[in-house]
């Protein structure tokens, strides 16, 4: 059964095998914590359109969040916190209309937070969900009270 893959807390190292992105019926992907993975989230992540849970928190990822993440329209839970993710948050994140939980905290995300984040009306943004990044104001009104601490030294 390829719908559930939980490899969290297994001390895995190296890149996420490219074959994982071929598991198009995957509903739950968990590589959460105590893994020391390298590499990035490839655009192929957008092929996992059945995915409901994407838990890649604290597993050593780098690079940017690909815009193809917006294809994951069934996603309920997106946890990418405590990685080394860089770049801006893609506006396509606003397409995830079923999202109930999002964690992007403790990365190196920069730029502005796209207004499309306010399309995620099924989320109660808790304080800390995006803290400890390098995101620049002004913040979208729907989340301005929950962005937490940001390193704004590189903002205009």
């Amino acid at each position: 059964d390829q719908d559930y893959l939980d490899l969290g807390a297994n001390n895995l190292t190296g890149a996420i095998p490219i074959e994982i992105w071929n598991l198009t019926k995957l509903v739950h992907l968990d590589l959460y914590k105590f893994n020391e993975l390298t590499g990035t989230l490839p655009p192929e992540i957008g092929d996992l359109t059945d995915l409901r849970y994407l838990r890649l928190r604290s597993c050593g990822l780098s690079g940017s969040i690909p815009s193809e993440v917006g294809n994951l329209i069934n996603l309920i839970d997106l946890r990418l916190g405590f990685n080394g993710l860089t770049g801006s948050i893609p506006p396509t994140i606003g397409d995830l209309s079923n999202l109930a939980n999002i964690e992007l905290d403790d990365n190196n995300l920069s730029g502005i937070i796209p207004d499309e984040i306010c399309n995620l009306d099924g989320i109660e943004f808790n304080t800390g969900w995006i803290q400890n990044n390098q995101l620049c104001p002004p913040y979208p009104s729907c989340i301005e009270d929950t962005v937490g601490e940001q390193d704004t030294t590189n903002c205009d």
Side-chain angles (χ1 to χ4, degrees), residues 64-66 86-91 108-114 135:
S64 61
I65 301 171
T86 56
S88 58
I89 298 168
N108 295 306
L109 297 171
S110 59
I112 62 164
I113 300 171
L135 296 162

Side-chain angles (χ1 to χ4, degrees), residues 4 26-30 50-55 74-79:
Y4 191 96
L26 204 59
V27 172
H28 186 123
L29 176 58
D30 193 339
D50 288 348
L51 208 57
R52 297 180 63 162
Y53 300 91
L54 180 59
R55 296 179 176 156
N74 293 304
L75 209 58
I76 294 170
D77 193 349
L78 176 61
R79 299 184 193 195

Side-chain angles (χ1 to χ4, degrees), residues 9-24:
N10 273 302
N11 295 307
L12 300 176
T13 59
I16 298 173
I18 195 73
E19 292 80 9
I20 284 185
W21 312 118
N22 295 331
L23 301 175
T24 56

Side-chain angles (χ1 to χ4, degrees), residues 5-18 20-21 29-42 45 54-63 79-85 107:
L5 182 59
D6 184 350
L7 297 173
N10 273 302
N11 295 307
L12 300 176
T13 59
I16 298 173
I18 195 73
I20 284 185
W21 312 118
L29 176 58
D30 193 339
L31 300 176
Y32 177 68
K33 73 182 176 183
F34 305 122
N35 287 320
E36 294 180 26
L37 301 173
T38 56
T40 61
L41 289 174
I45 195 170
L54 180 59
R55 296 179 176 156
L56 303 178
R57 186 172 178 83
S58 191
C59 59
L61 295 174
S62 60
R79 299 184 193 195
L80 299 176
F82 280 91
N83 281 295
L85 297 174
N107 278 292

